Amino acid sequence: FEFRRAITRKPGASIIDGLRAEDIGRPDLDQMLRDHAAYVAALRSTGAEVVELPALEAFPDAVFVEDTALCLPQGAVLMRPGAPSRQGEVAEMAPALAAFYGENLREITAPGCIEGGDILVTGREVLVGLSARTNPEGVAQLAEIVGDWGHALRRVDTPEGVLHFKTDCGLLDGETILATGRLAASGCFDGYKVLLVPEGEDAVANCIRFNSSVIMAAGFGRTAEMLDRAGFEVVEINNSECAKLDGGMSCLSLRF
Ligand code: CIR
């Protein structure tokens, strides 16, 4: 959870066409821009360098950069999103990653699919949840790549009807995970310290630990209080607009 930099992408006017499981209203670009600026400021306030890529109108979900790559200290892996409308985002991200990683770039190829939202890197392993966006072939390819770099990968499941594995969890420190009850019940975090999201606040599980801060969606008071009491430095960011597109705190950046 210690990072020197992050890559983000500004939301564009086309976010109104972003993918969503359920239509709960039209995302407001101005509000999303304000929230995005607050998010970038929160990352920067920890001392990290934050790259802000320009909006990509041709790809309505491009603000959710996390899904395009996995960034590890040894190299980055370009994903192959399971959502066909998102596959073109990867080539748009590749040059930004090449600027930092040079030759150390690998990629997931067809028929494999993975989106970064299904990957949780902990202090001891890379956990990847199968989902509607991530298939076994993609996970097998990733296991080989990260294996070359000395990382163990464990394949797990994402609860039915949940977009991404990390929709329901976030890393708080090397061995502590914030998770929803429905995900923790699967046993995938056995051996870790798990803090359960209080009843009714499942939508806050997708938080990130970024250097000294735990960055979480605003409006979930009981979770904020629980994390504060556990000694974490909590930063709350309004997430109302990204939530309309099933997006949360982890989706908005690549961290490395
Ligand atoms: C999608 O359905 O792909 C976007 N609307 C949301 C992606 C959220 N990304 C993430 O959780 N990593």
Side-chain angles (χ1 to χ4, degrees), residues 18-20 61 64 66-67 86 115-117 133 163-164 167 206 245-248 250-251:
L19 298 172
R20 66 207 81 179
D61 285 296
F64 303 117
E66 170 177 63
D67 294 317
R86 302 202 55 193
E115 297 190 359
R133 303 286 182 85
L163 174 60
H164 287 131
T167 303
N206 178 255
L245 302 175
D246 308 321
S250 77
C251 327

Side-chain angles (χ1 to χ4, degrees), residues 1-6 42-50 171-173 208-215 232-233 255-256:
F1 56 86
E2 274 158 6
F3 302 104
R4 289 175 52 202
R5 47 180 74 95
L43 296 177
R44 281 202 180 119
S45 73
T46 71
E49 173 198 349
V50 182
L171 192 77
L172 293 171
D173 64 33
I208 55 169
R209 173 74 189 268
F210 191 79
N211 298 324
S212 51
S213 303
V214 171
I215 304 180
F232 296 104
E233 198 177 292
R255 304 163 291 279
F256 52 105

Side-chain angles (χ1 to χ4, degrees), residues 15-121:
I15 49 135
I16 54 169
D17 297 320
L19 298 172
R20 66 207 81 179
E22 200 188 323
D23 206 342
I24 54 165
R26 186 187 168 102
D28 179 88
L29 178 61
D30 287 339
Q31 182 62 48
M32 200 190 275
L33 283 166
R34 283 193 291 276
D35 299 340
H36 198 262
Y39 179 83
V40 168
L43 296 177
R44 281 202 180 119
S45 73
T46 71
E49 173 198 349
V50 182
V51 175
E52 282 186 275
L53 299 173
L56 274 183
E57 295 298 353
F59 297 100
D61 285 296
V63 65
F64 303 117
V65 287
E66 170 177 63
D67 294 317
T68 64
L70 171 66
C71 296
L72 291 170
Q74 298 81 2
V77 186
L78 298 171
M79 296 290 123
R80 184 166 175 273
S85 69
R86 302 202 55 193
Q87 287 176 353
E89 293 174 30
V90 178
E92 301 283 348
M93 179 56 71
L97 288 171
F100 294 107
Y101 283 102
E103 300 289 289
N104 298 323
L105 275 187
R106 304 275 300 265
E107 62 179 342
I108 303 297
T109 55
C113 288
I114 304 202
E115 297 190 359
D118 282 317
I119 308 173
L120 183 75
V121 180

Side-chain angles (χ1 to χ4, degrees), residues 94-223:
L97 288 171
F100 294 107
Y101 283 102
E103 300 289 289
N104 298 323
L105 275 187
R106 304 275 300 265
E107 62 179 342
I108 303 297
T109 55
C113 288
I114 304 202
E115 297 190 359
D118 282 317
I119 308 173
L120 183 75
V121 180
T122 76
R124 58 177 97 145
E125 61 186 341
V126 178
L127 279 162
V128 188
L130 292 175
S131 72
R133 303 286 182 85
T134 291
N135 64 20
E137 170 64 23
V139 181
Q141 289 181 29
L142 187 66
E144 202 165 314
I145 296 170
V146 303
D148 288 347
W149 293 337
H151 296 272
L153 182 148
R154 182 157 61 97
R155 192 179 99 178
V156 291
D157 289 312
T158 303
E160 197 63 40
V162 174
L163 174 60
H164 287 131
F165 182 66
K166 263 188 313 197
T167 303
D168 270 29
C169 65
L171 192 77
L172 293 171
D173 64 33
E175 52 181 351
T176 310
I177 290 165
L178 178 69
T180 62
R182 66 185 168 196
L183 180 56
S186 73
C188 63
F189 300 130
D190 289 356
Y192 285 93
K193 194 170 157 200
V194 177
L195 293 185
L196 287 181
V197 173
E199 181 99 35
E201 298 199 349
D202 279 3
V204 78
N206 178 255
C207 66
I208 55 169
R209 173 74 189 268
F210 191 79
N211 298 324
S212 51
S213 303
V214 171
I215 304 180
M216 60 171 265
F220 299 90
R222 282 178 297 142
T223 303

